[in-house]
Amino acid sequence: MDFFTKINIPAAGWQIDYNSRLAFFGSCFADNISAQFASRKFNVLANPFGTVYNPLSAAMQIKAIANGKIFGEADVFQDTRLGVSENGNEIRGPWHCWNAHGSLSAATREECIAKLNAATQEAREFLQKADVVFITLGTAFVYFLRGNGVAVSNCHRQNPNMFIRKMISVDHAAEALKSIVHDLLKIKNDWIASSSVRNDETGKDRKFHIVFTVSPLRHLSDGAHENTLSKATLQLAINKVIQEIASPSARNDVGAETISYFPSYEIVMDELRDYRFYDDDMIHLSKTAEGYIFERMAETYCSEKTREDIRKVEKFMKMANHRIQDESLTATAEFLKKQHTEAGKLESQIAGLELNV
């Protein structure tokens, strides 16, 4: 008798290894899963503009990267919540961008703009050579500026009256996802077309893949039923895009292997249904659950050889992360020498691995 429903996930027709460059855009679940790959020393780019939950904002971020947008004064604003210091002077708030996380905010307008442009350039350079981009959608609820109707990624704790919040339709979400696909392919194809370097450097000999997934983290502040509707909207939008532009009958050059879906949401809803797989807030996932989802992704996208390489790296990192009590001890010097030797041996065995120790 089976007491466990396991989601059937066929192995992908393409594979990830330590030569792969992996980009992640999306909700905090994207941050968590990208950290699983990064901790095992994969080459990862995660949310260059910060965490983004809805498809419209994700599409705007990727479009800015694809178009090589140069951010300027019109793209930032100063915090309107003013305070007063102990000496009675008015405190000016930091500068923000509506389509970026607070980590890209700054005390001055110039610094904020510089951060945005640096993030754009770094992301563009990474995506040009990326092999896989994972897009994790968190919610179909979107905040729009009341004045101009533009969607925002982050409200930066501004006056709630500045925004209109509503759940977008399946069609609206699907159009944003199509824009993401178009712009990611544009970044890749423009670079290949203009590049004079070898094929293996441009990625001409490697297929480019976009994987959509829905975050299993529930947005219960919306209400249980509204959260279900929101997640269903995202699921339907992804399915619509895959059917329309990646099916064999679609009249474009985007194949079924270019765009796919990974069932993170279904794994948690059906396999990890127990609250022991959640964090203390009963909304976010535990480290055990995040590790399990990483394992399912490795089963899907990695060969047995790469999975064995991952196990070797995990063993090494457990040693490398050992806390050193006293650096002056002879035993510490011997331990660091052994660690350096093991790192070199592992890097010689696994193509593409960089341990940086």
Side-chain angles (χ1 to χ4, degrees):
M1 184 179 293
D2 293 329
F3 293 99
F4 182 80
T5 303
K6 189 168 184 177
I7 301 299
N8 179 36
I9 311 174
W14 48 273
Q15 293 180 340
I16 289 170
D17 59 27
Y18 275 97
N19 284 306
S20 303
R21 295 166 66 90
L22 315 176
F24 295 79
F25 287 82
S27 68
C28 53
F29 180 73
D31 293 324
N32 297 337
I33 296 303
S34 65
Q36 293 284 331
F37 280 92
S39 69
R40 292 162 175 86
K41 296 301 179 177
F42 280 88
N43 193 353
V44 169
L45 170 74
N47 279 334
F49 289 105
T51 309
V52 58
Y53 293 92
N54 73 80
L56 303 190
S57 294
M60 286 192 294
Q61 289 183 356
I62 292 171
K63 185 169 290 297
I65 297 168
N67 292 340
K69 178 179 173 64
I70 304 298
F71 286 85
E73 294 185 3
D75 300 300
V76 298
F77 68 95
Q78 191 167 29
D79 201 319
T80 58
R81 298 167 299 151
L82 302 179
V84 179
S85 65
E86 293 182 358
N87 58 14
N89 294 328
E90 189 179 68
I91 300 175
R92 285 287 185 178
W95 289 81
H96 306 293
C97 174
W98 290 122
N99 210 31
H101 187 263
S103 58
L104 276 75
S105 299
T108 67
R109 176 171 55 195
E110 292 74 19
E111 184 184 358
C112 182
I113 291 172
K115 281 186 173 184
L116 292 165
N117 286 324
T120 304
Q121 182 63 25
E122 177 189 4
R124 185 174 177 82
E125 290 176 357
F126 190 97
L127 289 173
Q128 286 173 338
K129 301 179 184 179
D131 298 289
V132 189
V133 179
F134 292 92
I135 306 292
T136 301
L137 306 176
T139 181
F141 281 97
V142 183
Y143 284 89
F144 297 89
L145 285 171
R146 191 179 294 275
N148 56 18
V150 173
V152 301
S153 301
N154 197 310
C155 295
H156 296 291
R157 299 183 180 180
Q158 299 302 294
N159 188 331
N161 293 329
M162 296 176 64
F163 310 99
I164 298 173
R165 182 176 181 273
K166 64 181 180 180
M167 186 167 67
I168 60 176
S169 67
V170 171
D171 287 344
H172 199 174
E175 287 304 313
L177 302 188
K178 290 178 185 177
S179 173
I180 287 173
V181 172
H182 174 271
D183 287 328
L184 287 174
L185 292 175
K186 179 179 185 296
I187 293 170
K188 174 68 72 173
N189 293 333
D190 285 354
W191 183 64
I192 291 175
S194 63
S195 178
S196 59
V197 296
R198 297 193 318 271
N199 285 357
D200 59 339
E201 292 179 343
T202 62
K204 288 179 182 177
D205 295 334
R206 300 199 306 268
K207 294 289 187 180
F208 177 59
H209 304 281
I210 302 167
V211 180
F212 288 107
T213 189
V214 172
S215 169
L217 278 62
R218 296 163 299 161
H219 291 234
L220 292 181
S221 59
D222 297 328
H225 180 56
E226 288 75 11
N227 173 74
T228 300
L229 293 175
S230 171
K231 299 293 187 184
T233 297
L234 299 175
Q235 297 274 11
L236 289 168
I238 293 171
N239 190 62
K240 181 181 176 68
V241 170
I242 291 175
Q243 286 187 338
E244 289 186 2
I245 68 174
S247 67
S249 60
R251 296 182 177 179
N252 54 62
D253 58 356
V254 181
E257 282 200 350
T258 302
I259 309 174
S260 59
Y261 174 76
F262 183 80
S264 302
Y265 182 83
E266 291 80 358
I267 289 172
V268 173
M269 294 300 106
D270 285 292
E271 294 190 28
L272 309 181
R273 300 175 69 170
D274 196 301
Y275 272 104
R276 64 197 168 106
F277 294 111
Y278 286 81
D279 208 343
D280 291 342
D281 62 4
M282 298 301 162
I283 294 175
H284 291 82
L285 300 182
S286 67
K287 293 299 180 184
T288 300
E290 291 170 3
Y292 179 75
I293 293 173
F294 170 80
E295 290 177 6
R296 296 304 309 275
M297 295 182 81
E299 291 172 2
T300 304
Y301 302 116
C302 299
S303 67
E304 179 53 43
K305 165 65 168 61
T306 300
R307 296 201 294 275
E308 178 59 30
D309 289 342
I310 290 171
R311 289 188 282 270
K312 291 178 182 178
V313 172
E314 289 173 338
K315 183 178 179 180
F316 173 82
M317 293 309 299
K318 186 175 182 180
M319 176 185 72
N321 292 329
H322 179 76
R323 184 176 179 183
I324 296 175
Q325 299 291 341
D326 188 344
E327 294 186 1
S328 65
L329 295 176
T330 302
T332 298
E334 293 176 351
F335 172 78
L336 293 175
K337 182 179 179 180
K338 178 183 177 182
Q339 178 179 306
H340 184 75
T341 300
E342 289 297 319
K345 186 186 301 183
L346 208 53
E347 288 176 341
S348 68
Q349 294 174 353
I350 303 174
L353 176 65
E354 294 184 11
L355 294 170
N356 299 318
V357 296

